[in-house]
Amino acid sequence: MESFNQLLLTLDGLLGSAAWFPWVLLGVGFFFTLYLGFPQIRYFGHAIKIVRGKYDKPSDPGDTSHFQALATALSGTVGTGNIGGVGLAIFLGGPAALFWMWVTAFLGMTTKFVEVTLSHKYRIKAADGYYAGGPMFYMERRLNMKWLAVIFAIATVISSFGTGSLPQVNNIAQAMHDTFGLSKMLTGGVLAILLGLVIIGGITRIAKVTSTIVPVMAVLYIVGALAVILYNYQNIIPSFAAVFSGAFNGSAAMGGFLGASFAYAFNRGVNRGLFSNEAGQGSAPIAHAAARADEPVSEGMVSLLEPFIDTLIICTLTGLVILSSGVWTEKFMNRFERADMMVVAGTFTDKEEEDVQHLFGFLSGDSSDVRPYTGTIVVADGRPLNSSEFTVINSRSVAEDVEFRVGEDNFSGVLNVTSGSLVNPNVEVWGNSLLHSVALTNRAFQRGFFGEYGSYIVTLGILLFAFSTAIAWSYYGDRSMIYLFGPKAVMPYRLVYVVAFFWAAIEDTTIIWNLSAVAIVLMTLPNLFGISVLAREMKETVKDYWKDPSHK
């Protein structure tokens, strides 16, 4: 299992995490933005009118309204990435990462417009009586590339578990346990039952639920975020200044010895942007294919609102909460995750510029005199006695006030460290260090008008965001199963989806997440290729839409 996990990490390094992938993603969006004449700006107002139902006709074919399709797609994109993903992006790439998330969203509005239009154009009415669409249908019906469509569909099924379900409920269960002390098994069981009741009803029930959840969760989160931003109003302008300064000066200095080159901030910002709004991934077109519309272009216009709402509004609010509150440069007492922790030989501090440079070079894989520590740590009543021999690094920062514990008790004895990793699995390491992901956002939300109660907003946000994401991705998966195996495969898929959802609440989902990271690329690259090949057809389809006077 460990070797398989390592293989997945290697593949991800060659694909999604590779330096070339963000350029491909942005390149396609940039091309279509110019080729179609900035549709994300020109058609924005028209898109809002469509969502409001101005052009609706009862006779239009489809299963859901424009708003319900938008809500379903948004429920798939607005998830834990909007809460923890932004915190991770800023942690890794500095404030400049937020700028590149904006760029990804702006260009992604066009990409989503294109992929949804083409997928809606080649949708079919499936044997179960409901409409089915998505990139796999235009790949087969228009490009005559069934093999590519099969790859996309399989990758979508994998991603439905890896991004849409398992890590989502794992985050929910952890948040509910940390905030309210609820059993992970109880949380997983209750949510699995609710999930089953929703998704077994198909797209009509899914659309009704998501069109209710999405507005509620958006309002809740926006109010909570503004309570922090306005409380720290004096830091709003400096926060924006840090974002643009980091982007255009090619640096993104952070607290401690954290820092990021232009390439690092760019890569992290673009990748987190894709993970958040999914523009180019090809998932949202599956939801939009069910919308009642007489013209594919009209549904494509609706979809361009998604990256705007998901990234330019919600992710921006999260970023401003983190930056304006100042928590991104502060150290907090926390339990160190082994994946974030490294023990290096010698004594270092983040108060000395020379030490900062050495440590940053070491963590970035550049030339550095810093070496991983191999040896022992002698501990008495939780405190290391030979601390002059090593330095504990956690979350890319020098850890302070380090303690070693076993359960609630302080540890005493000798610990072994090999190549920078603590060998003893039963010993917990605590101390002050920087935070990232959900933990960072959680702290930031406590720096506003609601005080410590702000963390409840994060927890409830995770609950609503993640649960709605699981609902939407179940639909993406079952439409892909219909494409691959026919309607008979849908019910078994839904049952497995619900059971796996419960299992993931109490189990480690790391390997599933790594598998999904590869699957996301196997969705995105074929989709970007397909829409690029059909660029001329897309332009003609848009022209034909505007020839109808009723659309103006």
Side-chain angles (χ1 to χ4, degrees), residues 295-344:
E295 291 282 354
V297 173
S298 67
E299 194 57 29
M301 291 181 181
V302 170
S303 71
L304 65 78
L305 297 174
E306 289 169 27
F308 178 83
I309 296 171
D310 174 275
T311 306
L312 294 179
I313 294 180
I314 298 179
C315 286
T316 296
L317 287 173
T318 302
L320 289 178
V321 165
I322 293 171
L323 295 176
S324 66
S325 65
V327 297
W328 62 294
T329 60
E330 297 180 23
K331 297 180 182 180
F332 297 92
M333 176 62 68
N334 67 104
R335 182 175 63 84
F336 299 169
E337 296 292 340
R338 295 298 176 91
D340 289 335
M341 190 180 79
M342 168 73 70
V343 184
V344 298

Short mmCIF file of all heavy atoms in Angstrom, two decimals, residues 295-344:
data_model
loop_
_atom_site.label_atom_id
_atom_site.label_comp_id
_atom_site.label_asym_id
_atom_site.label_seq_id
_atom_site.Cartn_x
_atom_site.Cartn_y
_atom_site.Cartn_z
N GLU A 295 -31.16 26.58 -25.69
CA GLU A 295 -29.88 26.87 -26.32
C GLU A 295 -28.74 26.52 -25.36
O GLU A 295 -28.74 26.95 -24.20
CB GLU A 295 -29.78 28.36 -26.66
CG GLU A 295 -30.71 28.82 -27.77
CD GLU A 295 -30.18 28.42 -29.15
OE1 GLU A 295 -29.04 27.89 -29.22
OE2 GLU A 295 -30.90 28.63 -30.13
N PRO A 296 -27.76 25.74 -25.81
CA PRO A 296 -26.62 25.39 -24.95
C PRO A 296 -25.86 26.61 -24.44
O PRO A 296 -25.37 26.62 -23.32
CB PRO A 296 -25.74 24.54 -25.86
CG PRO A 296 -26.65 24.01 -26.91
CD PRO A 296 -27.69 25.07 -27.11
N VAL A 297 -25.80 27.66 -25.27
CA VAL A 297 -25.05 28.86 -24.90
C VAL A 297 -25.62 29.51 -23.64
O VAL A 297 -24.88 30.03 -22.79
CB VAL A 297 -25.02 29.88 -26.06
CG1 VAL A 297 -24.39 31.19 -25.60
CG2 VAL A 297 -24.24 29.31 -27.24
N SER A 298 -26.95 29.48 -23.50
CA SER A 298 -27.57 30.11 -22.34
C SER A 298 -27.11 29.45 -21.05
O SER A 298 -26.86 30.13 -20.05
CB SER A 298 -29.09 30.06 -22.46
OG SER A 298 -29.57 28.73 -22.38
N GLU A 299 -26.98 28.13 -21.06
CA GLU A 299 -26.51 27.44 -19.85
C GLU A 299 -25.02 27.67 -19.64
O GLU A 299 -24.55 27.74 -18.51
CB GLU A 299 -26.80 25.94 -19.93
CG GLU A 299 -26.66 25.22 -18.60
CD GLU A 299 -27.54 25.80 -17.51
OE1 GLU A 299 -28.63 26.35 -17.82
OE2 GLU A 299 -27.14 25.72 -16.34
N GLY A 300 -24.28 27.83 -20.74
CA GLY A 300 -22.86 28.16 -20.62
C GLY A 300 -22.67 29.50 -19.94
O GLY A 300 -21.77 29.69 -19.12
N MET A 301 -23.55 30.46 -20.26
CA MET A 301 -23.47 31.77 -19.63
C MET A 301 -23.76 31.69 -18.14
O MET A 301 -23.14 32.38 -17.33
CB MET A 301 -24.42 32.74 -20.31
CG MET A 301 -24.00 33.11 -21.72
SD MET A 301 -25.14 34.28 -22.47
CE MET A 301 -24.41 34.48 -24.09
N VAL A 302 -24.72 30.86 -17.76
CA VAL A 302 -25.02 30.67 -16.34
C VAL A 302 -23.78 30.16 -15.60
O VAL A 302 -23.46 30.62 -14.50
CB VAL A 302 -26.18 29.67 -16.16
CG1 VAL A 302 -26.34 29.28 -14.69
CG2 VAL A 302 -27.48 30.27 -16.68
N SER A 303 -23.07 29.26 -16.23
CA SER A 303 -21.93 28.62 -15.56
C SER A 303 -20.76 29.57 -15.33
O SER A 303 -19.95 29.35 -14.42
CB SER A 303 -21.45 27.41 -16.37
OG SER A 303 -20.82 27.83 -17.58
N LEU A 304 -20.64 30.62 -16.14
CA LEU A 304 -19.51 31.52 -15.94
C LEU A 304 -19.61 32.30 -14.62
O LEU A 304 -18.64 32.90 -14.16
CB LEU A 304 -19.33 32.47 -17.13
CG LEU A 304 -20.38 33.53 -17.47
CD1 LEU A 304 -20.31 34.75 -16.57
CD2 LEU A 304 -20.19 33.96 -18.94
N LEU A 305 -20.79 32.24 -13.99
CA LEU A 305 -20.95 32.87 -12.69
C LEU A 305 -20.28 32.07 -11.57
O LEU A 305 -20.00 32.61 -10.50
CB LEU A 305 -22.45 33.03 -12.36
CG LEU A 305 -23.28 33.93 -13.28
CD1 LEU A 305 -24.75 33.85 -12.91
CD2 LEU A 305 -22.78 35.37 -13.22
N GLU A 306 -20.04 30.78 -11.81
CA GLU A 306 -19.52 29.91 -10.76
C GLU A 306 -18.14 30.32 -10.25
O GLU A 306 -17.97 30.49 -9.03
CB GLU A 306 -19.50 28.46 -11.23
CG GLU A 306 -20.87 27.83 -11.37
CD GLU A 306 -20.82 26.51 -12.09
OE1 GLU A 306 -19.76 25.84 -12.03
OE2 GLU A 306 -21.81 26.14 -12.73
N PRO A 307 -17.14 30.45 -11.12
CA PRO A 307 -15.83 30.88 -10.59
C PRO A 307 -15.88 32.24 -9.93
O PRO A 307 -15.13 32.51 -8.99
CB PRO A 307 -14.94 30.90 -11.85
CG PRO A 307 -15.59 29.96 -12.80
CD PRO A 307 -17.06 30.13 -12.56
N PHE A 308 -16.77 33.11 -10.43
CA PHE A 308 -16.92 34.43 -9.81
C PHE A 308 -17.39 34.29 -8.36
O PHE A 308 -16.83 34.90 -7.45
CB PHE A 308 -17.91 35.27 -10.62
CG PHE A 308 -18.16 36.64 -10.03
CD1 PHE A 308 -17.28 37.68 -10.28
CD2 PHE A 308 -19.26 36.87 -9.22
CE1 PHE A 308 -17.50 38.94 -9.74
CE2 PHE A 308 -19.48 38.14 -8.67
CZ PHE A 308 -18.60 39.16 -8.93
N ILE A 309 -18.44 33.49 -8.15
CA ILE A 309 -18.98 33.31 -6.80
C ILE A 309 -18.01 32.52 -5.93
O ILE A 309 -17.71 32.90 -4.79
CB ILE A 309 -20.34 32.61 -6.86
CG1 ILE A 309 -21.36 33.49 -7.60
CG2 ILE A 309 -20.85 32.27 -5.45
CD1 ILE A 309 -22.67 32.79 -7.90
N ASP A 310 -17.52 31.41 -6.46
CA ASP A 310 -16.69 30.50 -5.69
C ASP A 310 -15.36 31.11 -5.29
O ASP A 310 -14.97 31.06 -4.12
CB ASP A 310 -16.45 29.22 -6.50
CG ASP A 310 -15.49 28.27 -5.84
OD1 ASP A 310 -14.25 28.43 -6.02
OD2 ASP A 310 -15.94 27.37 -5.12
N THR A 311 -14.67 31.68 -6.25
CA THR A 311 -13.29 32.13 -6.01
C THR A 311 -13.19 33.64 -5.79
O THR A 311 -12.59 34.08 -4.81
CB THR A 311 -12.39 31.73 -7.19
OG1 THR A 311 -12.53 30.31 -7.41
CG2 THR A 311 -10.93 32.05 -6.89
N LEU A 312 -13.77 34.42 -6.70
CA LEU A 312 -13.62 35.87 -6.60
C LEU A 312 -14.39 36.45 -5.41
O LEU A 312 -14.08 37.55 -4.94
CB LEU A 312 -14.06 36.55 -7.89
CG LEU A 312 -13.16 36.24 -9.10
CD1 LEU A 312 -13.70 36.94 -10.35
CD2 LEU A 312 -11.73 36.65 -8.84
N ILE A 313 -15.40 35.73 -4.92
CA ILE A 313 -16.12 36.21 -3.73
C ILE A 313 -15.72 35.41 -2.49
O ILE A 313 -15.13 35.95 -1.55
CB ILE A 313 -17.65 36.14 -3.94
CG1 ILE A 313 -18.07 37.14 -5.03
CG2 ILE A 313 -18.37 36.47 -2.63
CD1 ILE A 313 -19.57 37.14 -5.30
N ILE A 314 -16.05 34.11 -2.47
CA ILE A 314 -15.88 33.33 -1.23
C ILE A 314 -14.41 33.12 -0.88
O ILE A 314 -13.99 33.32 0.27
CB ILE A 314 -16.62 31.99 -1.34
CG1 ILE A 314 -18.13 32.25 -1.51
CG2 ILE A 314 -16.37 31.12 -0.10
CD1 ILE A 314 -18.98 31.01 -1.65
N CYS A 315 -13.60 32.71 -1.86
CA CYS A 315 -12.17 32.51 -1.57
C CYS A 315 -11.48 33.83 -1.21
O CYS A 315 -10.58 33.86 -0.37
CB CYS A 315 -11.47 31.86 -2.76
SG CYS A 315 -11.86 30.11 -2.96
N THR A 316 -11.90 34.91 -1.86
CA THR A 316 -11.32 36.21 -1.54
C THR A 316 -11.64 36.60 -0.10
O THR A 316 -10.78 37.12 0.63
CB THR A 316 -11.83 37.29 -2.50
OG1 THR A 316 -11.39 36.98 -3.83
CG2 THR A 316 -11.30 38.66 -2.11
N LEU A 317 -12.88 36.37 0.31
CA LEU A 317 -13.26 36.66 1.69
C LEU A 317 -12.41 35.86 2.68
O LEU A 317 -11.93 36.38 3.68
CB LEU A 317 -14.75 36.37 1.91
CG LEU A 317 -15.73 37.36 1.28
CD1 LEU A 317 -17.15 36.86 1.42
CD2 LEU A 317 -15.59 38.73 1.92
N THR A 318 -12.22 34.58 2.38
CA THR A 318 -11.38 33.75 3.25
C THR A 318 -9.96 34.30 3.30
O THR A 318 -9.35 34.40 4.37
CB THR A 318 -11.35 32.29 2.75
OG1 THR A 318 -12.67 31.77 2.71
CG2 THR A 318 -10.50 31.42 3.68
N GLY A 319 -9.42 34.65 2.14
CA GLY A 319 -8.07 35.20 2.09
C GLY A 319 -7.94 36.49 2.88
O GLY A 319 -6.96 36.68 3.63
N LEU A 320 -8.92 37.37 2.75
CA LEU A 320 -8.87 38.64 3.50
C LEU A 320 -9.04 38.41 5.00
O LEU A 320 -8.45 39.14 5.81
CB LEU A 320 -9.95 39.58 3.00
CG LEU A 320 -9.73 40.19 1.60
CD1 LEU A 320 -10.90 41.07 1.20
CD2 LEU A 320 -8.42 40.98 1.55
N VAL A 321 -9.82 37.42 5.38
CA VAL A 321 -9.95 37.09 6.80
C VAL A 321 -8.60 36.68 7.37
O VAL A 321 -8.17 37.13 8.43
CB VAL A 321 -10.99 35.96 7.00
CG1 VAL A 321 -10.85 35.34 8.39
CG2 VAL A 321 -12.40 36.49 6.81
N ILE A 322 -7.90 35.82 6.63
CA ILE A 322 -6.60 35.33 7.09
C ILE A 322 -5.56 36.45 7.13
O ILE A 322 -4.81 36.60 8.09
CB ILE A 322 -6.12 34.17 6.18
CG1 ILE A 322 -7.04 32.96 6.37
CG2 ILE A 322 -4.67 33.80 6.48
CD1 ILE A 322 -6.78 31.84 5.38
N LEU A 323 -5.53 37.26 6.06
CA LEU A 323 -4.51 38.31 5.98
C LEU A 323 -4.79 39.46 6.94
O LEU A 323 -3.89 39.94 7.63
CB LEU A 323 -4.44 38.83 4.54
CG LEU A 323 -3.97 37.83 3.48
CD1 LEU A 323 -4.04 38.46 2.09
CD2 LEU A 323 -2.56 37.34 3.76
N SER A 324 -6.03 39.92 7.00
CA SER A 324 -6.34 41.07 7.85
C SER A 324 -6.25 40.74 9.33
O SER A 324 -5.92 41.61 10.15
CB SER A 324 -7.73 41.61 7.53
OG SER A 324 -8.74 40.68 7.87
N SER A 325 -6.53 39.49 9.70
CA SER A 325 -6.47 39.10 11.11
C SER A 325 -5.03 38.94 11.59
O SER A 325 -4.76 38.98 12.80
CB SER A 325 -7.21 37.78 11.33
OG SER A 325 -6.58 36.72 10.64
N GLY A 326 -4.11 38.72 10.65
CA GLY A 326 -2.69 38.60 11.01
C GLY A 326 -2.27 37.22 11.48
O GLY A 326 -1.08 37.02 11.79
N VAL A 327 -3.18 36.26 11.51
CA VAL A 327 -2.83 34.95 12.08
C VAL A 327 -1.85 34.17 11.20
O VAL A 327 -1.20 33.23 11.67
CB VAL A 327 -4.10 34.09 12.31
CG1 VAL A 327 -5.01 34.74 13.34
CG2 VAL A 327 -4.85 33.85 11.00
N TRP A 328 -1.75 34.54 9.95
CA TRP A 328 -0.89 33.79 9.02
C TRP A 328 0.60 33.94 9.34
O TRP A 328 1.43 33.18 8.84
CB TRP A 328 -1.18 34.21 7.58
CG TRP A 328 -0.89 35.64 7.29
CD1 TRP A 328 -1.53 36.73 7.81
CD2 TRP A 328 0.11 36.16 6.42
NE1 TRP A 328 -0.99 37.89 7.32
CE2 TRP A 328 0.01 37.57 6.46
CE3 TRP A 328 1.06 35.57 5.60
CZ2 TRP A 328 0.85 38.39 5.71
CZ3 TRP A 328 1.89 36.39 4.84
CH2 TRP A 328 1.78 37.78 4.90
N THR A 329 0.95 34.93 10.18
CA THR A 329 2.36 35.10 10.55
C THR A 329 2.59 34.77 12.03
O THR A 329 3.68 35.02 12.54
CB THR A 329 2.80 36.55 10.30
OG1 THR A 329 1.99 37.44 11.09
CG2 THR A 329 2.67 36.91 8.83
N GLU A 330 1.59 34.24 12.71
CA GLU A 330 1.70 33.97 14.14
C GLU A 330 1.81 32.47 14.42
O GLU A 330 1.32 31.65 13.65
CB GLU A 330 0.47 34.53 14.88
CG GLU A 330 0.34 36.04 14.79
CD GLU A 330 -0.89 36.54 15.53
OE1 GLU A 330 -1.37 35.81 16.45
OE2 GLU A 330 -1.39 37.63 15.21
N LYS A 331 2.44 32.18 15.54
CA LYS A 331 2.57 30.79 15.98
C LYS A 331 1.55 30.50 17.07
O LYS A 331 1.30 31.33 17.94
CB LYS A 331 3.98 30.51 16.49
CG LYS A 331 5.05 30.66 15.42
CD LYS A 331 6.44 30.38 15.98
CE LYS A 331 7.52 30.59 14.92
NZ LYS A 331 8.88 30.32 15.44
N PHE A 332 0.98 29.28 17.02
CA PHE A 332 -0.02 28.87 17.99
C PHE A 332 0.32 27.48 18.52
O PHE A 332 0.92 26.66 17.81
CB PHE A 332 -1.41 28.83 17.35
CG PHE A 332 -1.90 30.16 16.87
CD1 PHE A 332 -1.67 30.57 15.56
CD2 PHE A 332 -2.60 31.00 17.72
CE1 PHE A 332 -2.12 31.79 15.11
CE2 PHE A 332 -3.05 32.24 17.28
CZ PHE A 332 -2.82 32.65 15.98
N MET A 333 -0.09 27.21 19.76
CA MET A 333 0.08 25.89 20.33
C MET A 333 -0.81 24.90 19.57
O MET A 333 -2.01 25.14 19.41
CB MET A 333 -0.28 25.90 21.82
CG MET A 333 -0.21 24.53 22.49
SD MET A 333 1.45 23.79 22.49
CE MET A 333 2.36 24.90 23.59
N ASN A 334 -0.22 23.82 19.10
CA ASN A 334 -0.98 22.81 18.36
C ASN A 334 -0.26 21.47 18.38
O ASN A 334 0.93 21.40 18.71
CB ASN A 334 -1.22 23.27 16.92
CG ASN A 334 0.06 23.34 16.09
OD1 ASN A 334 0.34 22.47 15.27
ND2 ASN A 334 0.87 24.38 16.31
N ARG A 335 -0.99 20.43 18.05
CA ARG A 335 -0.38 19.10 17.95
C ARG A 335 0.20 18.94 16.56
O ARG A 335 -0.49 19.16 15.57
CB ARG A 335 -1.42 18.00 18.22
CG ARG A 335 -0.84 16.59 18.17
CD ARG A 335 -1.89 15.56 18.56
NE ARG A 335 -3.01 15.55 17.64
CZ ARG A 335 -3.02 14.87 16.48
NH1 ARG A 335 -1.95 14.17 16.11
NH2 ARG A 335 -4.09 14.90 15.71
N PHE A 336 1.46 18.55 16.48
CA PHE A 336 2.14 18.47 15.19
C PHE A 336 1.76 17.20 14.45
O PHE A 336 1.87 16.09 14.99
CB PHE A 336 3.67 18.50 15.38
CG PHE A 336 4.20 19.75 16.04
CD1 PHE A 336 5.52 19.80 16.48
CD2 PHE A 336 3.39 20.86 16.21
CE1 PHE A 336 6.02 20.94 17.08
CE2 PHE A 336 3.88 22.01 16.81
CZ PHE A 336 5.19 22.05 17.25
N GLU A 337 1.33 17.37 13.21
CA GLU A 337 1.13 16.22 12.33
C GLU A 337 2.49 15.78 11.81
O GLU A 337 3.33 16.62 11.44
CB GLU A 337 0.22 16.61 11.16
CG GLU A 337 -1.19 17.00 11.56
CD GLU A 337 -2.00 15.84 12.09
OE1 GLU A 337 -1.63 14.67 11.82
OE2 GLU A 337 -3.00 16.09 12.79
N ARG A 338 2.71 14.48 11.79
CA ARG A 338 4.04 13.97 11.38
C ARG A 338 4.40 14.42 9.96
O ARG A 338 5.58 14.63 9.66
CB ARG A 338 4.07 12.44 11.49
CG ARG A 338 3.93 11.91 12.92
CD ARG A 338 5.07 12.39 13.80
NE ARG A 338 4.91 11.97 15.19
CZ ARG A 338 5.38 10.84 15.70
NH1 ARG A 338 6.04 9.99 14.94
NH2 ARG A 338 5.19 10.56 16.98
N ALA A 339 3.39 14.55 9.09
CA ALA A 339 3.68 14.96 7.71
C ALA A 339 4.19 16.39 7.63
O ALA A 339 4.87 16.77 6.68
CB ALA A 339 2.41 14.82 6.86
N ASP A 340 3.88 17.22 8.66
CA ASP A 340 4.30 18.62 8.66
C ASP A 340 5.58 18.84 9.47
O ASP A 340 6.11 19.95 9.50
CB ASP A 340 3.20 19.51 9.27
CG ASP A 340 2.00 19.65 8.36
OD1 ASP A 340 2.16 19.49 7.14
OD2 ASP A 340 0.89 19.91 8.87
N MET A 341 6.06 17.79 10.14
CA MET A 341 7.15 17.96 11.10
C MET A 341 8.46 17.37 10.58
O MET A 341 8.48 16.34 9.92
CB MET A 341 6.78 17.28 12.43
CG MET A 341 7.73 17.58 13.57
SD MET A 341 7.25 16.74 15.11
CE MET A 341 7.85 15.09 14.78
N MET A 342 9.54 18.06 10.87
CA MET A 342 10.88 17.61 10.50
C MET A 342 11.85 18.03 11.61
O MET A 342 11.74 19.13 12.15
CB MET A 342 11.30 18.24 9.16
CG MET A 342 12.77 18.09 8.81
SD MET A 342 13.23 16.41 8.33
CE MET A 342 12.39 16.26 6.74
N VAL A 343 12.76 17.13 11.96
CA VAL A 343 13.80 17.45 12.95
C VAL A 343 15.11 17.61 12.21
O VAL A 343 15.54 16.70 11.47
CB VAL A 343 13.92 16.35 14.02
CG1 VAL A 343 14.94 16.75 15.09
CG2 VAL A 343 12.57 16.05 14.67
N VAL A 344 15.76 18.78 12.35
CA VAL A 344 17.02 19.02 11.67
C VAL A 344 18.14 19.14 12.69
O VAL A 344 17.92 19.48 13.86
CB VAL A 344 16.95 20.31 10.81
CG1 VAL A 344 15.90 20.16 9.72
CG2 VAL A 344 16.68 21.53 11.66
#
